Amino acid sequence: MPTGVALRDVREQLFDAADRILSRDGPSALTSRAVTTEAGCAKGVLHRHFEDFDAFLAEFVLDRVDRMDAQAAALRESAGTGTVAGNLADSLTALFGSVAVSIVALVTFRDELRARLRRTWPAGVPVLTEACVMIASYLRAERDLGRIAADADVDTLAPTLIGTGHLLFADRTGAPPEPAAVRKMVATVIAGVER
């Protein structure tokens, strides 16, 4: 005899619960029990849909990377509008204001999760490497429009911006950096190539 409430879109419900836990309590609080409790379902629900907790986490991380497509498209479409530094600062703030910082810590500290991610993501931390692709694509568009120098090395600028941005936002327990600090960092990194 079935009991409880029927769950719709269980994967998404569990992923959203993981987002809330990461944002609120950080990666050390992310357990299967915490996720199912946050999602309002029995612990067995997670294990019916995923091989184990690390399989859940791997799919969660890759799902969050896939969600970056909309942000990447919006950033590319902003090429030629506003300022290059402003567009980049806004994009980095949105990226690191999400659960991205916590996902980086989660991937760094869970060996089995990293091993599972390597099966489909051969190098780097998925959120950060995808962010580098997003920034480099935007910088190429701006280079094509002449707003940054034709000889700008976008494949070096992108990880520089991501790495420096990550350092600004890495302390998830403190206040996020002021928008002016993010803009200053971006302006400094691209100062030699912005036209």
Side-chain angles (χ1 to χ4, degrees), residues 84-154:
V84 175
N87 292 340
L88 287 168
D90 290 347
S91 183
L92 290 171
T93 299
L95 172 69
F96 291 119
S98 69
V99 296
V101 172
S102 293
I103 287 175
V104 171
L106 179 68
V107 171
T108 301
F109 293 112
R110 289 190 70 104
D111 294 339
E112 179 58 27
L113 173 57
R114 269 194 322 281
R116 285 178 187 259
L117 289 170
R118 289 288 168 260
R119 295 175 193 164
T120 56
W121 201 277
V125 176
V127 171
L128 296 181
T129 53
E130 188 66 17
C132 284
V133 169
M134 174 180 76
I135 298 294
S137 175
Y138 168 74
L139 290 170
R140 280 187 194 89
E142 291 290 14
R143 185 175 61 191
D144 292 346
L145 293 170
R147 293 187 358 138
I148 66 169
D151 62 348
D153 182 359
V154 299

Coordinates of all heavy atoms in Angstrom, one line a residue, residues 84-154:
V84 N 32.7 46.2 -21.5 CA 33.3 44.9 -21.4 C 33.5 44.6 -19.9 O 33.1 43.5 -19.4 CB 34.6 44.8 -22.2 CG1 35.2 43.4 -21.9 CG2 34.4 45.0 -23.7
A85 N 34.1 45.5 -19.2 CA 34.4 45.2 -17.8 C 33.1 45.0 -17.0 O 32.9 44.2 -16.1 CB 35.2 46.4 -17.2
G86 N 32.1 45.9 -17.3 CA 30.8 45.7 -16.6 C 30.1 44.4 -16.9 O 29.6 43.8 -16.0
N87 N 30.1 44.0 -18.2 CA 29.5 42.7 -18.5 C 30.2 41.6 -17.8 O 29.5 40.7 -17.3 CB 29.5 42.5 -20.1 CG 28.6 43.5 -20.8 OD1 27.7 44.1 -20.2 ND2 28.9 43.7 -22.1
L88 N 31.5 41.6 -17.8 CA 32.3 40.5 -17.1 C 32.0 40.5 -15.6 O 31.8 39.5 -15.0 CB 33.7 40.7 -17.5 CG 34.2 40.3 -18.9 CD1 35.6 40.8 -19.1 CD2 34.0 38.8 -19.1
A89 N 32.0 41.7 -15.0 CA 31.8 41.8 -13.6 C 30.4 41.3 -13.2 O 30.3 40.5 -12.3 CB 32.0 43.2 -13.1
D90 N 29.4 41.6 -14.0 CA 28.1 41.1 -13.7 C 28.0 39.6 -13.9 O 27.4 38.9 -13.1 CB 27.1 41.8 -14.7 CG 26.8 43.3 -14.4 OD1 27.3 43.7 -13.3 OD2 26.2 44.0 -15.2
S91 N 28.6 39.1 -14.9 CA 28.6 37.7 -15.1 C 29.3 36.9 -14.0 O 28.9 35.9 -13.6 CB 29.3 37.4 -16.5 OG 29.2 36.0 -16.8
L92 N 30.5 37.4 -13.6 CA 31.2 36.7 -12.5 C 30.5 36.8 -11.2 O 30.5 35.8 -10.4 CB 32.6 37.4 -12.4 CG 33.6 37.1 -13.5 CD1 34.9 38.0 -13.4 CD2 34.0 35.6 -13.6
T93 N 29.8 37.9 -11.0 CA 29.0 38.0 -9.7 C 27.9 37.0 -9.8 O 27.6 36.4 -8.7 CB 28.5 39.5 -9.6 OG1 29.6 40.4 -9.5 CG2 27.6 39.6 -8.4
A94 N 27.2 36.9 -10.9 CA 26.1 35.9 -11.0 C 26.6 34.5 -10.8 O 26.0 33.7 -10.2 CB 25.4 36.1 -12.3
L95 N 27.7 34.2 -11.5 CA 28.3 32.9 -11.4 C 28.7 32.5 -10.0 O 28.3 31.5 -9.4 CB 29.6 32.8 -12.3 CG 30.4 31.5 -12.1 CD1 29.6 30.3 -12.7 CD2 31.7 31.6 -12.8
F96 N 29.5 33.4 -9.3 CA 30.0 33.1 -8.0 C 28.9 33.4 -6.9 O 29.1 33.0 -5.7 CB 31.3 33.7 -7.7 CG 32.4 33.1 -8.5 CD1 33.1 33.9 -9.5 CD2 32.7 31.8 -8.4 CE1 34.1 33.4 -10.2 CE2 33.7 31.3 -9.2 CZ 34.4 32.0 -10.1
G97 N 27.9 34.1 -7.2 CA 26.8 34.3 -6.3 C 25.9 33.1 -6.2 O 25.1 33.0 -5.3
S98 N 26.0 32.2 -7.2 CA 25.3 30.9 -7.2 C 26.0 29.9 -6.3 O 26.8 30.3 -5.5 CB 25.1 30.4 -8.6 OG 26.4 29.9 -9.0
V99 N 25.7 28.7 -6.4 CA 26.3 27.6 -5.6 C 27.7 27.2 -6.2 O 28.3 26.3 -5.7 CB 25.4 26.4 -5.4 CG1 24.2 26.7 -4.7 CG2 25.1 25.7 -6.8
A100 N 28.2 27.9 -7.2 CA 29.4 27.6 -7.8 C 30.6 27.4 -6.9 O 31.4 26.5 -6.9 CB 29.8 28.5 -8.9
V101 N 30.7 28.4 -5.9 CA 31.9 28.3 -5.0 C 31.8 27.0 -4.1 O 32.7 26.3 -3.9 CB 31.9 29.6 -4.1 CG1 32.9 29.4 -3.0 CG2 32.2 30.8 -5.0
S102 N 30.6 26.7 -3.7 CA 30.4 25.5 -2.9 C 30.6 24.2 -3.7 O 31.1 23.2 -3.2 CB 29.0 25.5 -2.2 OG 28.9 26.5 -1.3
I103 N 30.2 24.3 -5.0 CA 30.4 23.1 -5.8 C 31.9 22.8 -6.0 O 32.3 21.7 -6.0 CB 29.7 23.2 -7.2 CG1 28.1 23.1 -6.9 CG2 30.2 22.2 -8.2 CD1 27.3 23.3 -8.2
V104 N 32.6 23.9 -6.2 CA 34.1 23.7 -6.3 C 34.7 23.1 -5.1 O 35.4 22.1 -5.2 CB 34.8 25.1 -6.6 CG1 36.3 25.0 -6.5 CG2 34.4 25.7 -7.9
A105 N 34.3 23.5 -3.9 CA 34.7 22.9 -2.6 C 34.3 21.5 -2.5 O 35.0 20.6 -2.2 CB 34.3 23.7 -1.4
L106 N 33.0 21.2 -2.9 CA 32.5 19.8 -2.9 C 33.3 18.9 -3.8 O 33.7 17.8 -3.3 CB 31.0 19.9 -3.4 CG 30.3 18.5 -3.4 CD1 30.1 18.0 -2.0 CD2 29.0 18.7 -4.1
V107 N 33.6 19.3 -5.0 CA 34.4 18.5 -5.9 C 35.8 18.3 -5.4 O 36.4 17.2 -5.5 CB 34.4 19.1 -7.3 CG1 35.3 18.4 -8.3 CG2 33.0 19.1 -7.9
T108 N 36.4 19.3 -4.8 CA 37.7 19.3 -4.3 C 37.9 18.3 -3.2 O 38.9 17.6 -3.2 CB 38.2 20.7 -3.8 OG1 38.1 21.6 -4.9 CG2 39.6 20.7 -3.3
F109 N 36.9 18.2 -2.4 CA 37.1 17.4 -1.1 C 36.5 16.0 -1.2 O 36.7 15.2 -0.3 CB 36.5 18.1 0.1 CG 37.3 19.3 0.4 CD1 36.7 20.6 0.2 CD2 38.6 19.2 0.9 CE1 37.5 21.7 0.5 CE2 39.3 20.3 1.1 CZ 38.8 21.6 1.0
R110 N 35.8 15.6 -2.3 CA 35.2 14.3 -2.4 C 35.9 13.5 -3.5 O 35.6 13.7 -4.7 CB 33.7 14.4 -2.6 CG 32.9 14.8 -1.4 CD 31.5 14.7 -1.6 NE 31.1 13.3 -1.6 CZ 30.4 12.7 -0.6 NH1 30.2 13.4 0.5 NH2 30.1 11.4 -0.7
D111 N 36.8 12.6 -3.1 CA 37.6 11.9 -4.1 C 36.7 11.0 -5.0 O 36.9 11.0 -6.2 CB 38.6 10.9 -3.4 CG 39.6 11.7 -2.6 OD1 39.9 12.9 -2.9 OD2 40.2 11.1 -1.7
E112 N 35.7 10.3 -4.5 CA 34.9 9.5 -5.3 C 34.1 10.3 -6.3 O 33.8 9.9 -7.4 CB 33.9 8.6 -4.5 CG 33.0 7.8 -5.2 CD 33.7 6.8 -6.2 OE1 34.8 6.4 -5.9 OE2 33.1 6.4 -7.2
L113 N 33.6 11.5 -5.9 CA 32.9 12.4 -6.8 C 33.8 12.8 -7.9 O 33.4 12.8 -9.1 CB 32.4 13.6 -6.0 CG 31.8 14.8 -6.9 CD1 30.6 14.2 -7.7 CD2 31.3 15.9 -6.0
R114 N 35.0 13.2 -7.6 CA 36.0 13.6 -8.7 C 36.2 12.4 -9.6 O 36.2 12.6 -10.8 CB 37.3 14.0 -8.1 CG 37.4 15.5 -7.8 CD 38.8 16.0 -7.5 NE 39.7 15.1 -6.8 CZ 39.6 14.9 -5.5 NH1 38.8 15.6 -4.7 NH2 40.4 14.1 -4.8
A115 N 36.4 11.2 -9.1 CA 36.6 10.1 -10.0 C 35.4 9.8 -10.9 O 35.5 9.6 -12.1 CB 36.8 8.8 -9.1
R116 N 34.2 10.0 -10.4 CA 33.0 9.8 -11.2 C 32.9 10.9 -12.3 O 32.5 10.7 -13.4 CB 31.7 9.8 -10.3 CG 31.5 8.5 -9.6 CD 30.3 8.6 -8.7 NE 30.2 7.5 -7.9 CZ 29.4 6.4 -8.1 NH1 28.6 6.4 -9.2 NH2 29.4 5.4 -7.3
L117 N 33.2 12.1 -11.9 CA 33.2 13.2 -12.8 C 34.2 13.1 -14.0 O 33.9 13.4 -15.1 CB 33.4 14.6 -12.1 CG 32.2 15.0 -11.3 CD1 32.6 16.2 -10.4 CD2 31.0 15.4 -12.1
R118 N 35.3 12.5 -13.7 CA 36.4 12.3 -14.7 C 35.9 11.3 -15.8 O 36.4 11.4 -16.9 CB 37.6 11.6 -14.0 CG 38.4 12.6 -13.2 CD 39.1 13.7 -14.0 NE 39.6 14.7 -13.1 CZ 39.0 15.9 -12.9 NH1 37.9 16.1 -13.5 NH2 39.5 16.7 -12.1
R119 N 34.9 10.5 -15.5 CA 34.4 9.6 -16.6 C 33.8 10.4 -17.7 O 33.8 10.0 -18.9 CB 33.3 8.7 -16.0 CG 33.9 7.7 -15.0 CD 32.8 6.9 -14.3 NE 33.3 6.2 -13.1 CZ 32.6 5.7 -12.2 NH1 31.2 5.7 -12.3 NH2 33.1 5.1 -11.2
T120 N 33.2 11.6 -17.4 CA 32.5 12.4 -18.4 C 33.2 13.8 -18.6 O 32.9 14.5 -19.6 CB 31.0 12.6 -18.1 OG1 30.9 13.1 -16.8 CG2 30.3 11.3 -18.2
W121 N 34.0 14.2 -17.6 CA 34.6 15.5 -17.6 C 36.1 15.3 -17.4 O 36.5 15.3 -16.2 CB 34.0 16.3 -16.5 CG 34.1 17.8 -16.7 CD1 35.2 18.6 -16.4 CD2 33.2 18.7 -17.3 NE1 35.0 19.9 -16.8 CE2 33.8 20.0 -17.3 CE3 31.9 18.5 -17.8 CZ2 33.1 21.1 -17.8 CZ3 31.3 19.6 -18.3 CH2 31.9 20.9 -18.3
P122 N 36.9 15.2 -18.4 CA 38.3 14.7 -18.3 C 39.2 15.6 -17.5 O 40.2 15.2 -17.0 CB 38.7 14.5 -19.7 CG 37.8 15.3 -20.6 CD 36.5 15.4 -19.8
A123 N 39.0 16.9 -17.5 CA 39.9 17.8 -16.9 C 39.3 19.0 -16.1 O 38.2 19.4 -16.6 CB 40.9 18.4 -17.9
G124 N 39.9 19.4 -15.1 CA 39.4 20.6 -14.4 C 38.2 20.3 -13.5 O 37.7 19.2 -13.5
V125 N 37.7 21.4 -12.9 CA 36.5 21.3 -12.1 C 35.4 21.8 -13.0 O 35.5 22.9 -13.5 CB 36.6 22.2 -10.8 CG1 35.3 22.3 -10.0 CG2 37.8 21.8 -9.9
P126 N 34.4 21.0 -13.2 CA 33.3 21.3 -14.2 C 32.8 22.7 -14.2 O 32.7 23.3 -15.2 CB 32.2 20.2 -13.9 CG 33.0 19.1 -13.3 CD 34.1 19.7 -12.5
V127 N 32.4 23.2 -13.0 CA 31.8 24.6 -13.0 C 32.8 25.6 -13.5 O 32.5 26.5 -14.2 CB 31.3 24.9 -11.6 CG1 30.9 26.3 -11.5 CG2 30.1 24.0 -11.2
L128 N 34.1 25.5 -13.0 CA 35.1 26.5 -13.3 C 35.5 26.3 -14.8 O 35.7 27.4 -15.5 CB 36.3 26.3 -12.4 CG 36.0 26.6 -10.9 CD1 37.3 26.5 -10.1 CD2 35.4 28.0 -10.7
T129 N 35.7 25.1 -15.3 CA 36.1 25.0 -16.7 C 35.0 25.5 -17.6 O 35.3 26.1 -18.6 CB 36.5 23.5 -17.0 OG1 35.5 22.6 -16.7 CG2 37.8 23.2 -16.3
E130 N 33.8 25.2 -17.3 CA 32.7 25.7 -18.1 C 32.6 27.2 -18.1 O 32.3 27.9 -19.1 CB 31.3 25.1 -17.7 CG 30.2 25.4 -18.6 CD 30.3 24.7 -20.0 OE1 31.1 23.8 -20.2 OE2 29.6 25.2 -20.9
A131 N 32.9 27.8 -16.9 CA 32.9 29.2 -16.8 C 34.0 29.8 -17.6 O 33.8 30.9 -18.3 CB 33.1 29.6 -15.3
C132 N 35.1 29.2 -17.7 CA 36.2 29.6 -18.6 C 35.8 29.6 -20.0 O 36.1 30.6 -20.8 CB 37.5 28.8 -18.4 SG 38.4 29.1 -16.9
V133 N 35.1 28.6 -20.4 CA 34.6 28.5 -21.8 C 33.7 29.7 -22.1 O 33.7 30.3 -23.1 CB 33.9 27.1 -22.1 CG1 33.2 27.1 -23.4 CG2 35.0 26.0 -22.0
M134 N 32.8 29.9 -21.1 CA 31.8 31.0 -21.3 C 32.5 32.4 -21.4 O 32.1 33.2 -22.3 CB 30.9 31.0 -20.0 CG 29.9 32.2 -19.9 SD 28.9 32.1 -18.4 CE 30.0 32.6 -17.2
I135 N 33.4 32.6 -20.5 CA 34.2 33.9 -20.6 C 35.0 34.1 -21.8 O 35.0 35.1 -22.5 CB 35.0 34.1 -19.3 CG1 34.2 34.1 -18.0 CG2 35.9 35.4 -19.4 CD1 33.3 35.3 -17.9
A136 N 35.7 33.0 -22.2 CA 36.5 33.1 -23.5 C 35.6 33.3 -24.7 O 36.0 34.1 -25.6 CB 37.3 31.8 -23.6
S137 N 34.5 32.7 -24.7 CA 33.5 32.9 -25.9 C 33.1 34.3 -25.9 O 33.1 34.9 -27.0 CB 32.3 32.0 -25.7 OG 31.4 32.2 -26.7
Y138 N 32.8 34.9 -24.8 CA 32.4 36.3 -24.7 C 33.5 37.2 -25.2 O 33.3 38.1 -26.0 CB 31.9 36.7 -23.3 CG 31.8 38.2 -23.1 CD1 30.7 38.9 -23.7 CD2 32.8 38.9 -22.4 CE1 30.6 40.2 -23.6 CE2 32.6 40.3 -22.3 CZ 31.6 40.9 -22.8 OH 31.5 42.3 -22.7
L139 N 34.7 36.9 -24.7 CA 35.9 37.8 -25.0 C 36.2 37.7 -26.5 O 36.6 38.7 -27.2 CB 37.1 37.4 -24.2 CG 37.0 37.7 -22.7 CD1 38.2 37.1 -22.0 CD2 37.0 39.3 -22.5
R140 N 36.0 36.5 -27.1 CA 36.2 36.4 -28.6 C 35.2 37.3 -29.3 O 35.5 37.9 -30.3 CB 36.0 34.9 -29.0 CG 37.2 34.1 -28.8 CD 37.1 32.7 -29.4 NE 38.1 31.8 -28.8 CZ 38.0 31.1 -27.7 NH1 36.9 31.1 -27.0 NH2 39.0 30.4 -27.2
A141 N 33.9 37.3 -28.9 CA 32.9 38.1 -29.5 C 33.3 39.6 -29.4 O 33.1 40.3 -30.4 CB 31.5 37.8 -28.9
E142 N 33.8 40.0 -28.2 CA 34.2 41.4 -28.1 C 35.4 41.7 -28.9 O 35.5 42.8 -29.4 CB 34.4 41.7 -26.6 CG 33.2 41.7 -25.7 CD 32.3 42.9 -26.0 OE1 32.4 43.6 -27.0 OE2 31.4 43.1 -25.1
R143 N 36.3 40.7 -29.0 CA 37.5 40.9 -29.9 C 37.1 41.1 -31.3 O 37.6 42.0 -32.0 CB 38.4 39.7 -29.7 CG 39.8 39.9 -30.5 CD 40.7 38.7 -30.2 NE 40.1 37.5 -30.6 CZ 40.6 36.3 -30.3 NH1 41.7 36.1 -29.5 NH2 40.0 35.2 -30.7
D144 N 36.1 40.3 -31.8 CA 35.6 40.4 -33.2 C 34.9 41.7 -33.4 O 34.9 42.3 -34.5 CB 34.6 39.3 -33.4 CG 35.2 37.9 -33.5 OD1 36.5 37.8 -33.6 OD2 34.4 36.9 -33.5
L145 N 34.3 42.3 -32.3 CA 33.7 43.7 -32.5 C 34.7 44.8 -32.3 O 34.3 46.0 -32.4 CB 32.6 43.8 -31.4 CG 31.4 42.9 -31.6 CD1 30.5 42.9 -30.4 CD2 30.6 43.3 -32.9
G146 N 36.0 44.5 -32.0 CA 37.0 45.5 -31.8 C 37.0 46.2 -30.4 O 37.7 47.2 -30.2
R147 N 36.2 45.6 -29.5 CA 36.2 46.3 -28.1 C 37.3 45.8 -27.3 O 37.6 46.4 -26.2 CB 34.8 46.0 -27.5 CG 33.8 46.8 -28.3 CD 32.4 46.9 -27.7 NE 32.0 46.2 -26.5 CZ 31.2 46.7 -25.6 NH1 30.8 48.0 -25.7 NH2 30.9 46.0 -24.6
I148 N 38.0 44.7 -27.6 CA 39.3 44.3 -27.0 C 40.3 44.1 -28.1 O 39.9 43.9 -29.3 CB 39.2 43.1 -26.1 CG1 38.8 41.9 -26.8 CG2 38.2 43.4 -24.9 CD1 39.0 40.6 -25.9
A149 N 41.5 44.2 -27.8 CA 42.6 44.1 -28.8 C 42.5 42.8 -29.6 O 42.2 41.8 -29.1 CB 43.9 44.2 -28.1
A150 N 42.9 43.0 -30.9 CA 42.9 41.8 -31.8 C 43.8 40.7 -31.4 O 43.6 39.6 -31.7 CB 43.2 42.3 -33.2
D151 N 44.9 41.1 -30.7 CA 45.9 40.1 -30.3 C 45.7 39.6 -28.8 O 46.5 39.0 -28.2 CB 47.3 40.6 -30.4 CG 47.6 41.9 -29.6 OD1 46.6 42.5 -29.0 OD2 48.8 42.2 -29.5
A152 N 44.5 40.0 -28.2 CA 44.2 39.6 -26.9 C 44.2 38.1 -26.7 O 43.5 37.4 -27.5 CB 42.9 40.2 -26.4
D153 N 44.8 37.5 -25.8 CA 44.9 36.1 -25.5 C 43.7 35.7 -24.6 O 43.8 35.6 -23.4 CB 46.2 35.7 -24.9 CG 46.4 34.2 -24.6 OD1 45.4 33.5 -24.9 OD2 47.4 33.8 -24.1
V154 N 42.6 35.5 -25.2 CA 41.3 35.2 -24.5 C 41.4 33.9 -23.7 O 40.8 33.7 -22.7 CB 40.1 35.3 -25.3 CG1 39.9 36.6 -26.0 CG2 40.1 34.2 -26.4

